[in-house]
Amino acid sequence: NAGVTQTPKFQVLKTGQSMTLQCAQDMNHEYMSWYRQDPGMGLRLIHYSVGAGITDQGEVPNGYNVSRSTTEDFPLRLLSAAPSQTSVYFCASTRTGYASPLHFGNGTRLTVT
Amino acid sequence: GQQVMQIPQYQHVQEGEDFTTYCNSSTTLSNIQWYKQRPGGHPVFLIQLVKSGEVKKQKRLTFQFGEAKKNSSLHITATQTTDVGTYFCAGGAGGSYIPTFGRGTSLIVHP
């Protein structure tokens, strides 16, 4: 099993550019989510999904878009990148139902200049 | 909304010293999870506690869940350089499977 796979690992964008961060999992997990990690701020939830066709906002959703067309994939779109979106992004998945451990991808380090 | 506070933010120790990080929730939790993130890595699940007053051990790591299910702690005995990283607690409330993360405690171990 590959687990949770994120691409790319590193990305540099210019302000105003758009891009998609990819996330795929092969564990048949219903729940998938995106976090951003900034120094001293811990992990903040951006968007999450409890199944194909279902998405919802987390703590810091502004400037990001998601969709879930399949169980396996949960891409995160930056519509118009801003320097404030410079961060490390983690995708995570788990089974729904009672609390289960989150499985994290290796992360994408994004710099917006 | 639910808030999970974690202290301290940083902790420097000499190798062999003990280390403790504390997690406090503004609301009663149904469960608490602990994760470890090595420098440059991603968070990795360590353990989950669900019962009031529960204590679990993993080698030199001891995890506790408070009687009121609003606080938790992670204690490492005789730290080693391999313990370096950031430790996060994540609290779940009710039947939610969406945990709220604390800001983490970064452990720096000096040889």
Side-chain angles (χ1 to χ4, degrees), chain A residues 26-77:
Chain A
D26 61 359
M27 297 172 283
N28 204 31
H29 286 166
E30 303 94 340
Y31 175 81
M32 296 185 74
S33 54
W34 278 101
Y35 291 87
R36 61 176 290 171
Q37 183 174 32
D38 304 292
M41 298 299 292
L43 295 158
R44 292 185 292 171
L45 183 63
I46 304 172
H47 285 285
Y48 65 95
S49 168
V50 300
I54 306 169
T55 63
D56 208 344
Q57 297 181 349
E59 180 186 355
V60 288
N62 292 341
Y64 306 95
N65 213 349
V66 292
S67 60
R68 183 99 178 265
S69 56
T70 66
T71 300
E72 294 78 19
D73 300 298
F74 190 44
L76 178 72
R77 297 182 188 83

Side-chain angles (χ1 to χ4, degrees), chain B:
Chain B
Q2 180 187 341
Q3 291 188 342
V4 174
M5 309 299 293
Q6 192 173 352
I7 58 170
Q9 186 175 357
Y10 298 96
Q11 184 76 57
H12 289 256
V13 299
Q14 290 293 131
E15 189 173 16
E17 291 182 338
D18 292 356
F19 160 79
T20 305
T21 174
Y22 301 91
C23 194
N24 291 287
S25 171
S26 58
T27 59
T28 301
L29 300 170
S30 58
N31 66 84
I32 193 145
Q33 298 172 345
W34 286 92
Y35 294 80
K36 177 183 178 180
Q37 182 180 25
R38 288 196 162 95
H42 60 277
V44 175
F45 174 77
L46 293 176
I47 207 161
Q48 176 170 276
L49 306 172
V50 298
K51 297 177 183 176
S52 171
E54 189 170 11
V55 178
K56 286 188 176 181
K57 293 190 176 184
Q58 288 180 349
K59 297 183 180 178
R60 294 178 294 103
L61 278 61
T62 302
F63 304 84
Q64 293 188 339
F65 201 10
E67 294 290 342
K69 301 183 77 172
K70 295 182 74 172
N71 62 288
S72 181
S73 64
L74 158 59
H75 179 83
I76 302 178
T77 303
T79 54
Q80 300 174 358
T81 54
T82 54
D83 295 324
V84 164
T86 301
Y87 294 84
F88 291 98
C89 63
S96 174
Y97 40 78
I98 306 172
T100 299
F101 279 85
R103 293 192 175 186
T105 296
S106 293
L107 172 63
I108 301 100
V109 180
H110 299 277

Side-chain angles (χ1 to χ4, degrees), chain A residues 15 18 27 30 33 43 47 67 72 87 93-95 104 108:
Chain A
T15 298
S18 63
M27 297 172 283
E30 303 94 340
S33 54
L43 295 158
H47 285 285
S67 60
E72 294 78 19
S87 187
S93 73
T94 190
R95 295 176 289 122
F104 284 84
T108 295

Side-chain angles (χ1 to χ4, degrees), chain A residues 86-105:
Chain A
T86 293
S87 187
V88 180
Y89 292 85
F90 289 102
C91 179
S93 73
T94 190
R95 295 176 289 122
T96 53
Y98 194 66
S100 300
L102 284 169
H103 298 256
F104 284 84

